[in-house]
Amino acid sequence: MSIDRKLFFFLLILHLLIVLILLNKEKILFGSNLAESGLSYLPSKDKHHIFLIWKGSSFPDIYLKALTTVIKFHPKSEILLFSNDLNESFFEDLNLIYKNLFIVRYNLTQMVKNKPGYNFVEKANRILNGEKSNLTLTKVHLSDFLRLFLVYNYGGLYLDTDMFPLRNMQSFKNTIGVDDQYKYVCGKNIYSYKNVSNFGCVCNCLFSFEKGHEFLKSALDNFGKWWEEKQGYGPGGAIMLTELLANHLDKVNVIPNEYWICLKYGARLLKLANEGDPDIEYTLKKCYVVHLFGAGAASFSLNNFDQLFIGKIYKKLI
Ligand SMILES: *[C@@H]1O[C@H](CO)[C@@H](O)[C@H](O)[C@H]1NC(C)=O
Ligand SMILES: *[C@@H]1O[C@H](CO)[C@@H](O)[C@H](O)[C@H]1NC(C)=O
Ligand SMILES: *[C@@H]1O[C@H](CO)[C@@H](O)[C@H](O)[C@H]1NC(C)=O
Ligand SMILES: *[C@@H]1O[C@H](CO)[C@@H](O)[C@H](O)[C@H]1NC(C)=O
């Protein structure tokens, strides 16, 4: 072998070694990233993520309609429905086959290892395992935590399962909806920021953040403490977020819930409406989603869907 050939093989082997080390560091080769993540499916690095959370082994028809609109307006996004109960072939069985829709199983204990929020899950687990405690842990607490955790760790859009998107929302970054003009007051603070005035509450029902955002980190770091101290319905949700927002306003875009979740017509959605109702046109033009506030009830159903405000909107979307 000539010196040149030896050098060539030496460099080739060196090159292969470096590639191997890099791949291993990224944990591409041995799949340990997936095992460590605590998820049955790892959100793709190169796709926009939409996170949905579902508890229960059945999925009402009305939410299937909502999911259909999520898919319709986000053909390029990866839609990840986090559920440990729903049959993994549920959507195939319904022939709702869409290549970017996944039912993802998760193990919260594994997910939070060495990550913000660990303290909450550790205590929650002790209660779930039957340890006596004066603290209450509900599925709302867990769902409030999970959505913050997912968007913080993977980046993307979280939306409640009872929301019908009216347009694509991929371009919204670091955005959360707020109730302007004191619609609701969640805590002691009233803010005005940029062009949104006098808001007293954020909604943790629809938000979009880049991976690793400091506002969500602060929410995860504080979740356990708020849950312990406040208990009740959703302490780590709207109330906590509204207070923490004070320290992160310059990094967050706020948008009035009047449009963001169509609060203006929220109360009309399940009421009868006429075809030519001008409020339907307004909703389609101005709002980002409509929110049924069904709160994830597995038994939620509507018989006269087509006659309702929401039914008329749905007909125009699909
Ligand atoms: C899930 O659905 C499939 C297909 O309908 C069925 O064969 C399977 O038994 C179901 N799994 C469970 C755990 O119910
Ligand atoms: C979840 O993860 C924890 C920590 O890795 C593990 O001890 C536990 O067995 C897992 N639970 C299930 C149901 O797989
Ligand atoms: C629960 O008990 C601890 C002491 O074990 C006490 O400090 C705490 O205030 C109690 N919390 C509630 C919500 O009652
Ligand atoms: C607030 O400002 C943004 C950007 O300047 C604009 O897109 C949005 O429509 C404004 N919102 C309101 C409620 O005026």
Side-chain angles (χ1 to χ4, degrees), residues 134-135 228-229 231:
N134 59 358
L135 298 171
E228 264 181 61
E229 284 173 7
Q231 290 281 286

PDB file of all heavy atoms in Angstrom, residues 134-135 228-229 231, ligand 3:
ATOM      1  N   ASN A 134     -53.478  15.270  51.798  1.00  0.00           N
ATOM      2  CA  ASN A 134     -54.609  16.196  51.827  1.00  0.00           C
ATOM      3  C   ASN A 134     -54.730  16.934  50.493  1.00  0.00           C
ATOM      4  O   ASN A 134     -55.546  17.822  50.341  1.00  0.00           O
ATOM      5  CB  ASN A 134     -54.488  17.175  53.006  1.00  0.00           C
ATOM      6  CG  ASN A 134     -53.201  17.984  52.942  1.00  0.00           C
ATOM      7  OD1 ASN A 134     -52.374  17.788  52.042  1.00  0.00           O
ATOM      8  ND2 ASN A 134     -53.027  18.896  53.884  1.00  0.00           N
ATOM      9  N   LEU A 135     -53.921  16.555  49.537  1.00  0.00           N
ATOM     10  CA  LEU A 135     -53.975  17.209  48.228  1.00  0.00           C
ATOM     11  C   LEU A 135     -54.855  16.409  47.270  1.00  0.00           C
ATOM     12  O   LEU A 135     -54.900  15.180  47.327  1.00  0.00           O
ATOM     13  CB  LEU A 135     -52.570  17.312  47.635  1.00  0.00           C
ATOM     14  CG  LEU A 135     -51.576  18.153  48.426  1.00  0.00           C
ATOM     15  CD1 LEU A 135     -50.177  18.003  47.861  1.00  0.00           C
ATOM     16  CD2 LEU A 135     -51.999  19.616  48.415  1.00  0.00           C
ATOM     17  N   GLU A 228     -50.092  22.673  44.768  1.00  0.00           N
ATOM     18  CA  GLU A 228     -50.136  22.376  46.204  1.00  0.00           C
ATOM     19  C   GLU A 228     -50.834  23.484  46.979  1.00  0.00           C
ATOM     20  O   GLU A 228     -51.613  23.220  47.880  1.00  0.00           O
ATOM     21  CB  GLU A 228     -48.714  22.241  46.760  1.00  0.00           C
ATOM     22  CG  GLU A 228     -48.244  20.815  46.820  1.00  0.00           C
ATOM     23  CD  GLU A 228     -46.851  20.703  47.405  1.00  0.00           C
ATOM     24  OE1 GLU A 228     -46.668  21.108  48.568  1.00  0.00           O
ATOM     25  OE2 GLU A 228     -45.956  20.225  46.686  1.00  0.00           O
ATOM     26  N   GLU A 229     -50.524  24.721  46.605  1.00  0.00           N
ATOM     27  CA  GLU A 229     -51.030  25.831  47.404  1.00  0.00           C
ATOM     28  C   GLU A 229     -52.466  26.202  47.085  1.00  0.00           C
ATOM     29  O   GLU A 229     -53.223  26.575  47.963  1.00  0.00           O
ATOM     30  CB  GLU A 229     -50.128  27.064  47.219  1.00  0.00           C
ATOM     31  CG  GLU A 229     -48.834  26.919  47.981  1.00  0.00           C
ATOM     32  CD  GLU A 229     -47.852  28.044  47.684  1.00  0.00           C
ATOM     33  OE1 GLU A 229     -48.236  29.007  46.986  1.00  0.00           O
ATOM     34  OE2 GLU A 229     -46.696  27.944  48.144  1.00  0.00           O
ATOM     35  N   GLN A 231     -54.759  24.294  44.843  1.00  0.00           N
ATOM     36  CA  GLN A 231     -55.695  23.187  44.612  1.00  0.00           C
ATOM     37  C   GLN A 231     -56.863  23.646  43.721  1.00  0.00           C
ATOM     38  O   GLN A 231     -56.664  24.484  42.849  1.00  0.00           O
ATOM     39  CB  GLN A 231     -56.158  22.623  45.958  1.00  0.00           C
ATOM     40  CG  GLN A 231     -55.034  21.864  46.683  1.00  0.00           C
ATOM     41  CD  GLN A 231     -54.828  20.473  46.121  1.00  0.00           C
ATOM     42  OE1 GLN A 231     -55.618  19.578  46.350  1.00  0.00           O
ATOM     43  NE2 GLN A 231     -53.778  20.295  45.364  1.00  0.00           N
TER      44      GLN A 231
HETATM   45  C1  LIG B   3     -51.776  19.763  53.752  1.00  0.00           C
HETATM   46  O1  LIG B   3     -51.033  19.372  54.894  1.00  0.00           O
HETATM   47  C2  LIG B   3     -49.825  20.086  55.084  1.00  0.00           C
HETATM   48  C3  LIG B   3     -49.081  19.488  56.278  1.00  0.00           C
HETATM   49  O2  LIG B   3     -48.931  18.122  56.101  1.00  0.00           O
HETATM   50  C4  LIG B   3     -50.141  21.556  55.316  1.00  0.00           C
HETATM   51  O3  LIG B   3     -48.944  22.285  55.463  1.00  0.00           O
HETATM   52  C5  LIG B   3     -50.930  22.077  54.119  1.00  0.00           C
HETATM   53  O4  LIG B   3     -51.326  23.417  54.366  1.00  0.00           O
HETATM   54  C6  LIG B   3     -52.160  21.233  53.854  1.00  0.00           C
HETATM   55  N1  LIG B   3     -52.738  21.671  52.597  1.00  0.00           N
HETATM   56  C7  LIG B   3     -54.050  21.787  52.393  1.00  0.00           C
HETATM   57  C8  LIG B   3     -54.470  22.218  51.034  1.00  0.00           C
HETATM   58  O5  LIG B   3     -54.878  21.528  53.258  1.00  0.00           O
END
